[in-house]
């Protein structure tokens, strides 16, 4: 067995007297999709926020490539290759795919040999190349992302993460606000990320989606890990039992 | 694996329509020029647009509202509004008039240097309302409408106090030349405005600052999550708007050989109108400098044209109002047509 990409060991998080997470451990290997399942308030969000630098764990240890990590901000987590794709995607709808990928770190070139200008050609090329890696063929590279559908916008948000060499992608309910055909496309994107050796933490309420893409399923209930299963060796009934208890 | 294609691409017809809609300010301008030309030819038997004096006058007329509108463009794209630009301009006009006089009388500077001192002081004093606006909006999270409305009052009071309740006359040949002179028939004010237009176009379309302004206006969350320092960005946007107003104020003193606190009072609405006619949405995220230039010219042509054809000047307000409303309606239907977000 290879060294896990991300290793979460005994992580606890308290808000006042309430324990949001209690002694949760899980591993994520490169090229692996781990689904986080659980009812509302089970601690899924707290766990991913502890990994992505939004919260600091009160106890426990998180290791990335074997090195213990402790982030002060989501920006630090991102710099180390942990990207979170929230449900709202946080895209600038009025800008192109390339401009979204490079938002905040736009490349420059010199026009007429002296005037620094945005390098739109480089951004467009990178956008095309990145989208191709996601099997997403786009010809209108200058179009604002508002012109694209929900699944395609999801691809743009993922593309932004992988362009900057994210190793771990955390996807929070990526299929939630989408129609069925679009949901399938997003699941295909998750499989593409897996093939490229990324580690994916996939949060979903939809057991169908979870069974379609996950290599392992971690179930949380009231802040504790209720169980961990391999899809081939379990059923949705068992997962639901773990989620609700009893 | 299913391939994703960009099936959302609108058909060419729609793209064409949206291009037309994007250029609507220029279309308005052409229609207005044709209208005034036809009227002038048929009623008075003279040309409107073929008259160099008319073109120079329209150019001069458009300069101050355009300068205010250029800064306002950045503010509106960032989903903000700056109500204080008019009195920031007045404050700058008064201060630049005072300082140009002071340079000559107390520092014994030659006229050219006194003029420079006046212009630099006018622009410099505008930093104060700009930075305070930015600080209120970025750090204290005061809504732009409220923060800049407060600054509207503060700048207004300060301008009248510094002016002593009167206009401040300046007698400086260089200053008057800047405000009224011509180079090869082109008013110097127009040349200055053109240079500022180019700089603003560059800043908005070719720099990270401009790109981040667009992103911030469309989605604050997107900007923050991308690691953009939105506080600093907001400060810079409102500072830029104030500096544009400061320059407009200093030039006003040159043009009228006097600084007046009320110099920019009627121009606030013109500046917002120019940006909106130019295709920007008050909800942020869209707009550009070329559109704003066209918007400012539309207003100047309406105002000057109605005087030229001898219509009662009050029609100006009605005409500008109608153009603003048409422009917003075109914007709304364009969004619907393209299936994009409709502002509600």
């Amino acid at each position: 067995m290879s060294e896990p990409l991300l290793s979460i060991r005994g992580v606890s998080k308290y808000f006042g007297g309430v324990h949001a997470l209690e002694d949760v451990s899980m591993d994520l290997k490169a090229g692996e999709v781990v689904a986080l399942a659980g009812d509302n308030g089970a601690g899924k969000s707290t766990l991913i926020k502890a990994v992505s630098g939004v919260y600091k764990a009160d106890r426990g240890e998180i290791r990335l490539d074997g090195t213990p990590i402790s982030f002060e901000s989501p920006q630090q987590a991102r710099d180390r290759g942990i990207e979170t794709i929230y449900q709202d995607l946080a895209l600038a709808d009025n800008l192109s795919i390339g401009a979204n990928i490079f938002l905040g770190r736009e490349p420059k070139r010199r026009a007429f040999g002296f005037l620094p200008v945005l390098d739109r050609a480089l951004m467009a090329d990178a956008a095309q190349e990145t989208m191709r890696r996601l099997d997403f063929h786009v010809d209108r590279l200058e179009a604002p992302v508002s012109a694209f559908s929900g699944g395609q916008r999801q691809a743009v948000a993922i593309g932004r993460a992988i362009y900057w060499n994210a190793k771990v992608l955390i996807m929070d309910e990526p299929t939630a606000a989408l129609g069925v055909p679009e949901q399938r496309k997003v699941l295909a994107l998750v499989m593409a990320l897996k093939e490229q050796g990324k580690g994916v933490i996939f949060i979903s309420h939809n057991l169908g989606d979870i069974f379609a893409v996950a290599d392992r399923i971690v179930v949380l209930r009231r802040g504790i890990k209720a169980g961990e299963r391999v899809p081939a060796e379990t059923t949705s009934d068992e997962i639901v039992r773990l989620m609700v208890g009893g | 694996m299913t391939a994703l294609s960009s099936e959302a691409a609108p058909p060419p017809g729609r793209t064409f329509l949206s291009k037309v809609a994007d250029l609507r300010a220029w279309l308005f301008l052409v229609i207005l020029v044709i209208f005034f030309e036809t009227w002038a030819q048929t009623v008075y038997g003279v040309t409107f647009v073929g008259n160099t004096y008319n073109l120079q006058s329209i150019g001069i007329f458009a300069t101050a509202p355009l300068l205010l509108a250029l800064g306002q463009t950045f503010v509106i794209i960032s989903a903000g509004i700056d109500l204080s630009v008019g009195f920031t301009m007045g404050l700058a006009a008064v201060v630049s008039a005072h300082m140009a006089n002071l340079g000559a009388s107390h520092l014994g500077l030659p006229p050219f240097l006194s003029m420079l001192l006046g212009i630099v002081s006018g622009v410099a004093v505008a930093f104060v309302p700009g930075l305070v606006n930015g600080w209120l909006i970025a750090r204290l999270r005061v809504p732009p409408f409220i923060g800049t409305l407060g600054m509207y009052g503060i700048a207004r009071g300060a301008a009248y106090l510094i002016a002593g309740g009167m206009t401040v006359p300046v007698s400086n040949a260089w200053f008057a030349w800047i405000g009224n002179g011509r180079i090869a028939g082109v008013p110097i004010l127009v040349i200055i405005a053109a240079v500022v237009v180019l700089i603003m176009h560059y800043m908005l379309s070719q720099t990270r600052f401009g790109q981040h302004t667009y992103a911030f206006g469309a989605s604050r969350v997107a900007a923050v999550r991308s690691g953009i320092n939105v506080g600093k960005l907001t400060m810079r946007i409102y500072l830029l708007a104030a500096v544009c107003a400061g320059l407009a104020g200093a030039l006003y003193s040159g043009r009228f050989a006097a600084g007046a606190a009320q110099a920019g009072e009627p121009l606030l609405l013109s500046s917002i109108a120019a940006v909106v006619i130019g295709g920007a949405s008050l909800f942020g995220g869209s707009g550009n400098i070329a559109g704003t230039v066209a918007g400012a010219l539309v207003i100047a042509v309406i105002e000057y044209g109605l005087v030229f054809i001898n219509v009662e000047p009050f029609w100006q307000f009605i005409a500008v109002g109608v153009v603003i409303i048409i422009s917003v309606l075109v914007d709304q239907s364009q969004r619907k047509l393209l299936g994009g977000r409709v502002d509600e």
Side-chain angles (χ1 to χ4, degrees), chain B:
Chain B
M1 198 189 313
T2 27
L4 300 178
S5 65
S6 59
E7 73 253 17
R14 272 190 183 180
T15 315
F16 174 73
L17 267 183
S18 85
K19 284 230 170 72
V20 171
D22 285 341
L23 291 172
R24 64 184 173 276
W26 295 99
L27 270 179
F28 278 134
L29 191 58
V30 170
I31 292 166
L32 283 168
V33 167
I34 292 172
F35 169 79
F36 285 121
E37 183 65 25
T38 314
W39 190 306
Q41 294 279 3
T42 49
V43 179
Y44 302 104
V46 294
T47 174
F48 173 70
V49 74
N51 183 332
T52 313
Y53 178 77
N54 284 355
L55 295 183
Q56 290 168 339
S57 301
I58 291 168
I60 291 170
F61 228 71
T63 298
L66 175 60
L67 286 173
L68 296 191
L70 289 171
Q72 193 78 266
T73 305
F74 284 77
V75 174
I76 287 178
I77 290 173
S78 78
I81 190 92
D82 189 344
L83 302 179
S84 66
V85 289
F87 282 110
T88 297
M89 175 179 164
L91 179 65
V94 170
V95 167
S96 66
H98 264 316
M99 291 306 284
N101 288 337
L102 205 90
S105 63
H106 285 68
L107 304 176
L109 294 175
F112 182 77
L113 289 180
S114 305
M115 171 208 69
L116 269 188
L117 178 69
I119 293 177
V120 169
S121 309
V123 173
V125 76
F127 273 65
V128 178
L131 288 172
V132 174
N133 279 338
W135 177 71
L136 287 172
I137 295 160
R139 304 273 173 242
L140 303 185
R141 301 298 292 270
V142 176
F145 191 95
I146 304 299
T148 60
L149 184 62
M151 186 50 66
Y152 169 100
I154 294 166
R156 180 184 201 172
Y160 278 108
L161 284 172
I162 292 172
M166 300 179 295
T167 55
V168 182
V170 204
S171 77
N172 180 316
W174 275 100
F175 218 170
W177 180 76
I178 291 280
N180 300 286
R182 298 196 174 100
I183 294 175
V186 184
I188 291 164
L189 287 180
V190 172
I191 296 172
I192 294 174
V195 171
V196 179
V197 163
L198 288 178
I199 295 171
M200 293 294 160
H201 175 71
Y202 167 75
M203 286 176 70
L204 186 58
S205 68
Q206 296 300 337
T207 68
R208 286 184 185 149
F209 169 60
Q211 191 80 349
H212 296 172
T213 302
Y214 278 110
F216 179 68
S219 166
R220 184 189 172 89
V221 178
V224 171
R225 292 227 188 106
S226 302
I228 294 171
N229 183 341
V230 296
K232 195 170 146 198
L233 177 68
T234 306
M235 295 284 287
R236 289 168 76 183
I237 289 169
Y238 285 88
L239 185 59
L240 183 67
V243 166
C244 287
L247 181 61
L251 296 178
Y252 177 97
S253 294
R255 182 178 163 203
F256 294 102
Q262 72 277 16
E265 190 169 11
L267 300 183
L268 166 64
L269 281 181
S270 302
S271 77
I272 297 170
V275 178
V276 172
I277 293 170
S281 160
L282 285 175
F283 295 88
S286 66
N288 59 67
I289 295 298
T292 296
V293 171
L297 286 174
V298 162
I299 295 170
V301 166
I302 289 175
E303 292 185 342
Y304 186 84
L306 289 175
V307 173
F308 185 74
I309 65 173
N310 208 16
V311 171
E312 282 201 80
F314 308 114
W315 282 99
Q316 293 171 12
F317 304 120
I318 296 174
V320 172
V322 168
V323 173
I324 292 172
I325 293 170
I326 293 175
S327 185
V328 171
L329 289 176
V330 172
D331 186 56
Q332 299 279 38
S333 53
Q334 180 191 11
R335 279 158 200 275
K336 249 177 240 164
L337 198 71
L338 292 176
R341 174 174 60 102
V342 177
D343 301 324
E344 329 221 36

Side-chain angles (χ1 to χ4, degrees), chain A residues 60-156:
Chain A
E61 188 181 57
I62 301 172
R63 287 171 174 265
L64 181 68
D65 284 329
T67 321
I69 49 173
S70 171
F71 301 127
E72 300 296 330
S73 71
Q75 191 60 46
Q76 282 185 6
R78 209 171 291 137
D79 292 343
R80 293 287 300 273
I82 299 177
E83 285 272 355
T84 310
I85 295 155
Y86 290 97
Q87 220 178 320
D88 64 14
L89 300 182
L91 296 172
D93 270 345
N94 54 346
L95 301 181
S96 67
I97 295 175
N100 268 285
I101 289 176
F102 285 93
L103 191 56
R105 28 196 174 184
E106 291 82 359
K108 298 293 225 21
R109 68 180 173 86
R110 298 210 172 259
F112 318 115
F114 72 96
L115 192 66
V117 296
L118 295 176
D119 195 342
R120 291 184 199 281
L122 194 153
M123 290 196 266
D125 287 349
Q128 193 155 39
E129 167 58 26
T130 308
M131 293 297 107
R132 195 168 28 234
R133 275 163 70 187
L134 296 172
D135 213 18
F136 170 45
H137 304 287
V138 55
D139 42 8
R140 293 173 62 242
L141 287 165
E142 79 295 348
V145 295
S146 62
F148 298 106
S149 71
Q152 292 167 333
R153 290 156 49 78
Q154 188 79 235
V156 174

Side-chain angles (χ1 to χ4, degrees), chain A:
Chain A
M1 254 185 58
S2 58
E3 172 85 2
L5 183 59
L6 184 75
S7 171
I8 299 170
R9 285 285 158 262
V11 165
S12 302
K13 175 75 195 170
Y14 307 96
F15 295 104
V18 184
H19 71 267
L21 281 181
E22 184 73 56
D23 196 24
V24 172
S25 299
M26 64 171 270
D27 285 337
L28 176 70
K29 280 176 273 190
E32 190 181 40
V33 179
V34 172
L36 265 187
D39 208 350
N40 292 332
K44 304 186 300 274
S45 295
T46 312
L47 181 59
I48 63 161
K49 283 178 177 166
V51 174
S52 66
V54 178
Y55 298 149
K56 275 186 108 153
D58 292 319
R59 272 197 282 119
E61 188 181 57
I62 301 172
R63 287 171 174 265
L64 181 68
D65 284 329
T67 321
I69 49 173
S70 171
F71 301 127
E72 300 296 330
S73 71
Q75 191 60 46
Q76 282 185 6
R78 209 171 291 137
D79 292 343
R80 293 287 300 273
I82 299 177
E83 285 272 355
T84 310
I85 295 155
Y86 290 97
Q87 220 178 320
D88 64 14
L89 300 182
L91 296 172
D93 270 345
N94 54 346
L95 301 181
S96 67
I97 295 175
N100 268 285
I101 289 176
F102 285 93
L103 191 56
R105 28 196 174 184
E106 291 82 359
K108 298 293 225 21
R109 68 180 173 86
R110 298 210 172 259
F112 318 115
F114 72 96
L115 192 66
V117 296
L118 295 176
D119 195 342
R120 291 184 199 281
L122 194 153
M123 290 196 266
D125 287 349
Q128 193 155 39
E129 167 58 26
T130 308
M131 293 297 107
R132 195 168 28 234
R133 275 163 70 187
L134 296 172
D135 213 18
F136 170 45
H137 304 287
V138 55
D139 42 8
R140 293 173 62 242
L141 287 165
E142 79 295 348
V145 295
S146 62
F148 298 106
S149 71
Q152 292 167 333
R153 290 156 49 78
Q154 188 79 235
V156 174
I158 295 169
R160 180 170 57 185
I162 64 168
Y163 181 84
W164 297 103
N165 293 318
K167 293 181 237 172
V168 175
L169 281 105
I170 301 168
M171 301 175 74
D172 189 7
E173 297 279 359
T175 57
L178 299 178
V180 173
E182 291 279 307
Q183 287 179 7
R184 292 218 183 95
K185 288 176 186 171
V186 170
L187 296 182
L189 284 174
V190 175
M191 298 310 283
L193 292 172
K194 179 179 153 70
E195 279 169 24
Q196 287 164 28
K198 310 291 182 194
V200 180
I201 297 178
F202 181 90
I203 296 176
S204 181
H205 271 96
N206 186 325
L207 289 179
D209 289 353
I210 287 177
F211 275 85
V213 294
D215 295 305
R216 277 181 300 123
I217 305 169
V218 170
V219 185
L220 294 179
R221 184 174 75 234
R222 292 196 209 148
I224 32 181
K225 185 163 151 185
E228 181 170 331
R229 297 289 184 274
V230 176
E233 297 161 8
T234 186
T235 61
S236 35
D237 282 350
E238 190 192 10
I239 298 296
V240 172
R241 263 201 309 279
L242 287 169
M243 280 166 66
V244 298

